[in-house]
PDB file of all heavy atoms in Angstrom:
ATOM      1  N   ASN A 242     196.881 160.780 207.774  1.00 97.00           N
ATOM      2  CA  ASN A 242     196.024 161.192 208.866  1.00 97.00           C
ATOM      3  C   ASN A 242     196.678 160.825 210.186  1.00 97.00           C
ATOM      4  O   ASN A 242     196.776 159.641 210.530  1.00 97.00           O
ATOM      5  CB  ASN A 242     194.643 160.533 208.742  1.00 97.00           C
ATOM      6  CG  ASN A 242     193.633 161.127 209.700  1.00 97.00           C
ATOM      7  OD1 ASN A 242     193.998 161.829 210.643  1.00 97.00           O
ATOM      8  ND2 ASN A 242     192.370 160.843 209.469  1.00 97.00           N
ATOM      9  N   VAL A 243     197.153 161.821 210.907  1.00 98.00           N
ATOM     10  CA  VAL A 243     197.855 161.576 212.173  1.00 98.00           C
ATOM     11  C   VAL A 243     196.976 160.783 213.130  1.00 98.00           C
ATOM     12  O   VAL A 243     197.451 159.874 213.826  1.00 98.00           O
ATOM     13  CB  VAL A 243     198.291 162.912 212.807  1.00 98.00           C
ATOM     14  CG1 VAL A 243     198.897 162.677 214.191  1.00 98.00           C
ATOM     15  CG2 VAL A 243     199.297 163.639 211.916  1.00 98.00           C
ATOM     16  N   GLU A 244     195.702 161.089 213.173  1.00 97.00           N
ATOM     17  CA  GLU A 244     194.791 160.440 214.114  1.00 97.00           C
ATOM     18  C   GLU A 244     194.674 158.934 213.863  1.00 97.00           C
ATOM     19  O   GLU A 244     194.381 158.167 214.784  1.00 97.00           O
ATOM     20  CB  GLU A 244     193.418 161.097 214.034  1.00 97.00           C
ATOM     21  CG  GLU A 244     192.470 160.696 215.155  1.00 97.00           C
ATOM     22  CD  GLU A 244     191.210 161.524 215.170  1.00 97.00           C
ATOM     23  OE1 GLU A 244     191.057 162.404 214.283  1.00 97.00           O
ATOM     24  OE2 GLU A 244     190.378 161.304 216.062  1.00 97.00           O
ATOM     25  N   ASP A 245     194.916 158.508 212.626  1.00 98.00           N
ATOM     26  CA  ASP A 245     194.846 157.078 212.318  1.00 98.00           C
ATOM     27  C   ASP A 245     196.035 156.314 212.875  1.00 98.00           C
ATOM     28  O   ASP A 245     195.961 155.086 213.054  1.00 98.00           O
ATOM     29  CB  ASP A 245     194.789 156.862 210.799  1.00 98.00           C
ATOM     30  CG  ASP A 245     193.482 157.341 210.195  1.00 98.00           C
ATOM     31  OD1 ASP A 245     192.502 157.500 210.940  1.00 98.00           O
ATOM     32  OD2 ASP A 245     193.461 157.571 208.960  1.00 98.00           O
ATOM     33  N   HIS A 246     197.124 157.011 213.125  1.00 98.00           N
ATOM     34  CA  HIS A 246     198.360 156.332 213.506  1.00 98.00           C
ATOM     35  C   HIS A 246     198.859 156.677 214.914  1.00 98.00           C
ATOM     36  O   HIS A 246     199.746 155.998 215.435  1.00 98.00           O
ATOM     37  CB  HIS A 246     199.459 156.676 212.496  1.00 98.00           C
ATOM     38  CG  HIS A 246     199.126 156.284 211.086  1.00 98.00           C
ATOM     39  ND1 HIS A 246     199.330 155.027 210.591  1.00 98.00           N
ATOM     40  CD2 HIS A 246     198.572 157.008 210.070  1.00 98.00           C
ATOM     41  CE1 HIS A 246     198.946 154.978 209.318  1.00 98.00           C
ATOM     42  NE2 HIS A 246     198.474 156.171 208.985  1.00 98.00           N
ATOM     43  N   TYR A 247     198.311 157.728 215.492  1.00 98.00           N
ATOM     44  CA  TYR A 247     198.797 158.190 216.793  1.00 98.00           C
ATOM     45  C   TYR A 247     197.632 158.419 217.756  1.00 98.00           C
ATOM     46  O   TYR A 247     196.519 158.768 217.343  1.00 98.00           O
ATOM     47  CB  TYR A 247     199.566 159.515 216.649  1.00 98.00           C
ATOM     48  CG  TYR A 247     200.966 159.373 216.079  1.00 98.00           C
ATOM     49  CD1 TYR A 247     201.172 159.303 214.700  1.00 98.00           C
ATOM     50  CD2 TYR A 247     202.073 159.321 216.922  1.00 98.00           C
ATOM     51  CE1 TYR A 247     202.446 159.185 214.179  1.00 98.00           C
ATOM     52  CE2 TYR A 247     203.360 159.208 216.407  1.00 98.00           C
ATOM     53  CZ  TYR A 247     203.542 159.137 215.037  1.00 98.00           C
ATOM     54  OH  TYR A 247     204.812 159.012 214.526  1.00 98.00           O
ATOM     55  N   THR A 248     197.900 158.228 219.031  1.00 98.00           N
ATOM     56  CA  THR A 248     196.994 158.677 220.082  1.00 98.00           C
ATOM     57  C   THR A 248     197.524 159.995 220.629  1.00 98.00           C
ATOM     58  O   THR A 248     198.716 160.308 220.493  1.00 98.00           O
ATOM     59  CB  THR A 248     196.905 157.659 221.230  1.00 98.00           C
ATOM     60  OG1 THR A 248     198.206 157.507 221.833  1.00 98.00           O
ATOM     61  CG2 THR A 248     196.424 156.306 220.723  1.00 98.00           C
ATOM     62  N   LYS A 249     196.644 160.769 221.247  1.00 98.00           N
ATOM     63  CA  LYS A 249     197.048 162.062 221.795  1.00 98.00           C
ATOM     64  C   LYS A 249     196.694 162.141 223.272  1.00 98.00           C
ATOM     65  O   LYS A 249     195.594 161.784 223.685  1.00 98.00           O
ATOM     66  CB  LYS A 249     196.364 163.205 221.042  1.00 98.00           C
ATOM     67  CG  LYS A 249     196.748 164.602 221.538  1.00 98.00           C
ATOM     68  CD  LYS A 249     195.980 165.687 220.811  1.00 98.00           C
ATOM     69  CE  LYS A 249     196.322 167.069 221.361  1.00 98.00           C
ATOM     70  NZ  LYS A 249     195.525 168.138 220.713  1.00 98.00           N
ATOM     71  N   GLN A 250     197.631 162.635 224.057  1.00 98.00           N
ATOM     72  CA  GLN A 250     197.437 162.804 225.488  1.00 98.00           C
ATOM     73  C   GLN A 250     197.901 164.201 225.892  1.00 98.00           C
ATOM     74  O   GLN A 250     198.929 164.689 225.404  1.00 98.00           O
ATOM     75  CB  GLN A 250     198.254 161.746 226.252  1.00 98.00           C
ATOM     76  CG  GLN A 250     198.184 161.837 227.766  1.00 98.00           C
ATOM     77  CD  GLN A 250     199.137 160.861 228.446  1.00 98.00           C
ATOM     78  OE1 GLN A 250     200.007 160.259 227.794  1.00 98.00           O
ATOM     79  NE2 GLN A 250     198.988 160.702 229.752  1.00 98.00           N
ATOM     80  N   GLU A 251     197.150 164.863 226.746  1.00 98.00           N
ATOM     81  CA  GLU A 251     197.535 166.166 227.280  1.00 98.00           C
ATOM     82  C   GLU A 251     197.707 166.056 228.785  1.00 98.00           C
ATOM     83  O   GLU A 251     196.832 165.538 229.487  1.00 98.00           O
ATOM     84  CB  GLU A 251     196.484 167.232 226.950  1.00 98.00           C
ATOM     85  CG  GLU A 251     196.386 167.545 225.475  1.00 98.00           C
ATOM     86  CD  GLU A 251     195.405 168.659 225.159  1.00 98.00           C
ATOM     87  OE1 GLU A 251     194.472 168.877 225.959  1.00 98.00           O
ATOM     88  OE2 GLU A 251     195.579 169.330 224.125  1.00 98.00           O
ATOM     89  N   VAL A 252     198.852 166.536 229.274  1.00 98.00           N
ATOM     90  CA  VAL A 252     199.143 166.459 230.707  1.00 98.00           C
ATOM     91  C   VAL A 252     199.729 167.785 231.175  1.00 98.00           C
ATOM     92  O   VAL A 252     200.250 168.571 230.385  1.00 98.00           O
ATOM     93  CB  VAL A 252     200.141 165.313 231.030  1.00 98.00           C
ATOM     94  CG1 VAL A 252     199.547 163.966 230.674  1.00 98.00           C
ATOM     95  CG2 VAL A 252     201.463 165.522 230.284  1.00 98.00           C
ATOM     96  N   MET A 253     199.626 168.033 232.453  1.00 98.00           N
ATOM     97  CA  MET A 253     200.294 169.167 233.097  1.00 98.00           C
ATOM     98  C   MET A 253     201.424 168.594 233.937  1.00 98.00           C
ATOM     99  O   MET A 253     201.181 167.885 234.930  1.00 98.00           O
ATOM    100  CB  MET A 253     199.316 169.949 233.960  1.00 98.00           C
ATOM    101  CG  MET A 253     198.183 170.618 233.198  1.00 98.00           C
ATOM    102  SD  MET A 253     198.726 171.950 232.083  1.00 98.00           S
ATOM    103  CE  MET A 253     199.053 173.271 233.265  1.00 98.00           C
ATOM    104  N   ILE A 254     202.657 168.856 233.529  1.00 98.00           N
ATOM    105  CA  ILE A 254     203.822 168.309 234.223  1.00 98.00           C
ATOM    106  C   ILE A 254     204.311 169.320 235.247  1.00 98.00           C
ATOM    107  O   ILE A 254     204.538 170.492 234.928  1.00 98.00           O
ATOM    108  CB  ILE A 254     204.936 167.954 233.225  1.00 98.00           C
ATOM    109  CG1 ILE A 254     204.437 166.896 232.229  1.00 98.00           C
ATOM    110  CG2 ILE A 254     206.179 167.451 233.963  1.00 98.00           C
ATOM    111  CD1 ILE A 254     205.455 166.503 231.176  1.00 98.00           C
ATOM    112  N   THR A 255     204.487 168.872 236.478  1.00 98.00           N
ATOM    113  CA  THR A 255     204.878 169.750 237.577  1.00 98.00           C
ATOM    114  C   THR A 255     206.389 169.947 237.610  1.00 98.00           C
ATOM    115  O   THR A 255     207.151 168.967 237.622  1.00 98.00           O
ATOM    116  CB  THR A 255     204.398 169.177 238.927  1.00 98.00           C
ATOM    117  OG1 THR A 255     202.980 168.988 238.868  1.00 98.00           O
ATOM    118  CG2 THR A 255     204.729 170.125 240.067  1.00 98.00           C
ATOM    119  N   MET A 256     206.820 171.194 237.631  1.00 98.00           N
ATOM    120  CA  MET A 256     208.237 171.526 237.737  1.00 98.00           C
ATOM    121  C   MET A 256     208.657 171.546 239.210  1.00 98.00           C
ATOM    122  O   MET A 256     207.841 171.482 240.126  1.00 98.00           O
ATOM    123  CB  MET A 256     208.503 172.889 237.097  1.00 98.00           C
ATOM    124  CG  MET A 256     208.112 172.978 235.625  1.00 98.00           C
ATOM    125  SD  MET A 256     209.085 171.920 234.517  1.00 98.00           S
ATOM    126  CE  MET A 256     207.943 170.549 234.221  1.00 98.00           C
ATOM    127  N   ARG A 257     209.933 171.662 239.460  1.00 98.00           N
ATOM    128  CA  ARG A 257     210.475 171.568 240.819  1.00 98.00           C
ATOM    129  C   ARG A 257     209.962 172.650 241.760  1.00 98.00           C
ATOM    130  O   ARG A 257     209.975 172.466 242.974  1.00 98.00           O
ATOM    131  CB  ARG A 257     212.002 171.597 240.772  1.00 98.00           C
ATOM    132  CG  ARG A 257     212.614 172.867 240.200  1.00 98.00           C
ATOM    133  CD  ARG A 257     214.104 172.690 239.959  1.00 98.00           C
ATOM    134  NE  ARG A 257     214.370 171.598 239.015  1.00 98.00           N
ATOM    135  CZ  ARG A 257     215.587 171.169 238.695  1.00 98.00           C
ATOM    136  NH1 ARG A 257     216.646 171.734 239.247  1.00 98.00           N
ATOM    137  NH2 ARG A 257     215.745 170.181 237.841  1.00 98.00           N
ATOM    138  N   ASP A 258     209.495 173.764 241.197  1.00 98.00           N
ATOM    139  CA  ASP A 258     208.965 174.837 242.049  1.00 98.00           C
ATOM    140  C   ASP A 258     207.441 174.794 242.139  1.00 98.00           C
ATOM    141  O   ASP A 258     206.821 175.710 242.682  1.00 98.00           O
ATOM    142  CB  ASP A 258     209.410 176.200 241.537  1.00 98.00           C
ATOM    143  CG  ASP A 258     208.872 176.516 240.146  1.00 98.00           C
ATOM    144  OD1 ASP A 258     208.577 175.562 239.404  1.00 98.00           O
ATOM    145  OD2 ASP A 258     208.741 177.705 239.809  1.00 98.00           O
ATOM    146  N   GLY A 259     206.837 173.745 241.591  1.00 98.00           N
ATOM    147  CA  GLY A 259     205.398 173.584 241.699  1.00 98.00           C
ATOM    148  C   GLY A 259     204.604 174.081 240.507  1.00 98.00           C
ATOM    149  O   GLY A 259     203.408 173.819 240.394  1.00 98.00           O
ATOM    150  N   ILE A 260     205.232 174.823 239.597  1.00 98.00           N
ATOM    151  CA  ILE A 260     204.554 175.326 238.404  1.00 98.00           C
ATOM    152  C   ILE A 260     204.297 174.153 237.447  1.00 98.00           C
ATOM    153  O   ILE A 260     205.151 173.288 237.256  1.00 98.00           O
ATOM    154  CB  ILE A 260     205.392 176.425 237.717  1.00 98.00           C
ATOM    155  CG1 ILE A 260     205.432 177.664 238.605  1.00 98.00           C
ATOM    156  CG2 ILE A 260     204.833 176.767 236.347  1.00 98.00           C
ATOM    157  CD1 ILE A 260     204.077 178.327 238.819  1.00 98.00           C
ATOM    158  N   LYS A 261     203.111 174.176 236.796  1.00 98.00           N
ATOM    159  CA  LYS A 261     202.739 173.093 235.896  1.00 98.00           C
ATOM    160  C   LYS A 261     202.756 173.579 234.442  1.00 98.00           C
ATOM    161  O   LYS A 261     202.231 174.644 234.136  1.00 98.00           O
ATOM    162  CB  LYS A 261     201.349 172.569 236.256  1.00 98.00           C
ATOM    163  CG  LYS A 261     201.286 171.956 237.652  1.00 98.00           C
ATOM    164  CD  LYS A 261     199.880 171.481 237.991  1.00 98.00           C
ATOM    165  CE  LYS A 261     199.842 170.877 239.391  1.00 98.00           C
ATOM    166  NZ  LYS A 261     198.479 170.420 239.762  1.00 98.00           N
ATOM    167  N   LEU A 262     203.358 172.768 233.574  1.00 98.00           N
ATOM    168  CA  LEU A 262     203.499 173.118 232.163  1.00 98.00           C
ATOM    169  C   LEU A 262     202.671 172.183 231.295  1.00 98.00           C
ATOM    170  O   LEU A 262     202.756 170.954 231.415  1.00 98.00           O
ATOM    171  CB  LEU A 262     204.976 173.054 231.733  1.00 98.00           C
ATOM    172  CG  LEU A 262     205.975 173.881 232.544  1.00 98.00           C
ATOM    173  CD1 LEU A 262     207.354 173.814 231.889  1.00 98.00           C
ATOM    174  CD2 LEU A 262     205.514 175.319 232.703  1.00 98.00           C
ATOM    175  N   HIS A 263     201.882 172.801 230.400  1.00 98.00           N
ATOM    176  CA  HIS A 263     201.061 172.020 229.483  1.00 98.00           C
ATOM    177  C   HIS A 263     201.953 171.259 228.504  1.00 98.00           C
ATOM    178  O   HIS A 263     202.829 171.831 227.849  1.00 98.00           O
ATOM    179  CB  HIS A 263     200.118 172.935 228.695  1.00 98.00           C
ATOM    180  CG  HIS A 263     199.325 172.195 227.652  1.00 98.00           C
ATOM    181  ND1 HIS A 263     198.032 171.795 227.850  1.00 98.00           N
ATOM    182  CD2 HIS A 263     199.664 171.767 226.409  1.00 98.00           C
ATOM    183  CE1 HIS A 263     197.597 171.160 226.784  1.00 98.00           C
ATOM    184  NE2 HIS A 263     198.576 171.134 225.888  1.00 98.00           N
ATOM    185  N   THR A 264     201.685 169.952 228.390  1.00 98.00           N
ATOM    186  CA  THR A 264     202.479 169.091 227.517  1.00 98.00           C
ATOM    187  C   THR A 264     201.548 168.193 226.714  1.00 98.00           C
ATOM    188  O   THR A 264     200.651 167.562 227.274  1.00 98.00           O
ATOM    189  CB  THR A 264     203.450 168.229 228.344  1.00 98.00           C
ATOM    190  OG1 THR A 264     204.202 169.079 229.230  1.00 98.00           O
ATOM    191  CG2 THR A 264     204.398 167.465 227.451  1.00 98.00           C
ATOM    192  N   THR A 265     201.767 168.150 225.415  1.00 98.00           N
ATOM    193  CA  THR A 265     200.982 167.310 224.513  1.00 98.00           C
ATOM    194  C   THR A 265     201.859 166.174 224.014  1.00 98.00           C
ATOM    195  O   THR A 265     202.984 166.410 223.562  1.00 98.00           O
ATOM    196  CB  THR A 265     200.447 168.119 223.323  1.00 98.00           C
ATOM    197  OG1 THR A 265     199.605 169.174 223.806  1.00 98.00           O
ATOM    198  CG2 THR A 265     199.648 167.242 222.381  1.00 98.00           C
ATOM    199  N   ILE A 266     201.329 164.954 224.084  1.00 98.00           N
ATOM    200  CA  ILE A 266     202.104 163.767 223.724  1.00 98.00           C
ATOM    201  C   ILE A 266     201.361 162.981 222.651  1.00 98.00           C
ATOM    202  O   ILE A 266     200.211 162.569 222.853  1.00 98.00           O
ATOM    203  CB  ILE A 266     202.341 162.865 224.955  1.00 98.00           C
ATOM    204  CG1 ILE A 266     203.014 163.665 226.077  1.00 98.00           C
ATOM    205  CG2 ILE A 266     203.173 161.647 224.583  1.00 98.00           C
ATOM    206  CD1 ILE A 266     202.927 163.005 227.433  1.00 98.00           C
ATOM    207  N   TYR A 267     202.003 162.793 221.507  1.00 98.00           N
ATOM    208  CA  TYR A 267     201.468 161.945 220.442  1.00 98.00           C
ATOM    209  C   TYR A 267     202.257 160.636 220.440  1.00 98.00           C
ATOM    210  O   TYR A 267     203.480 160.639 220.241  1.00 98.00           O
ATOM    211  CB  TYR A 267     201.611 162.616 219.082  1.00 98.00           C
ATOM    212  CG  TYR A 267     200.773 163.859 218.894  1.00 98.00           C
ATOM    213  CD1 TYR A 267     201.255 165.120 219.264  1.00 98.00           C
ATOM    214  CD2 TYR A 267     199.500 163.785 218.332  1.00 98.00           C
ATOM    215  CE1 TYR A 267     200.482 166.263 219.078  1.00 98.00           C
ATOM    216  CE2 TYR A 267     198.720 164.917 218.136  1.00 98.00           C
ATOM    217  CZ  TYR A 267     199.218 166.153 218.517  1.00 98.00           C
ATOM    218  OH  TYR A 267     198.460 167.280 218.331  1.00 98.00           O
TER     219      TYR A 267
END
């Protein structure tokens, strides 16, 4: 069970031109 061993975070990372990319981090 991934949830038992990992936390999950979702962020929007800003690129150099201002565009934001969805990023999921376990």
Side-chain angles (χ1 to χ4, degrees):
N242 191 345
V243 174
E244 192 171 1
D245 291 341
H246 301 276
Y247 284 83
T248 62
K249 181 183 177 183
Q250 178 186 11
E251 293 183 335
V252 297
M253 296 294 284
I254 299 179
T255 303
M256 301 294 102
R257 62 191 60 185
D258 63 335
I260 292 296
K261 297 178 180 179
L262 305 186
H263 175 99
T264 308
T265 300
I266 304 163
Y267 293 88

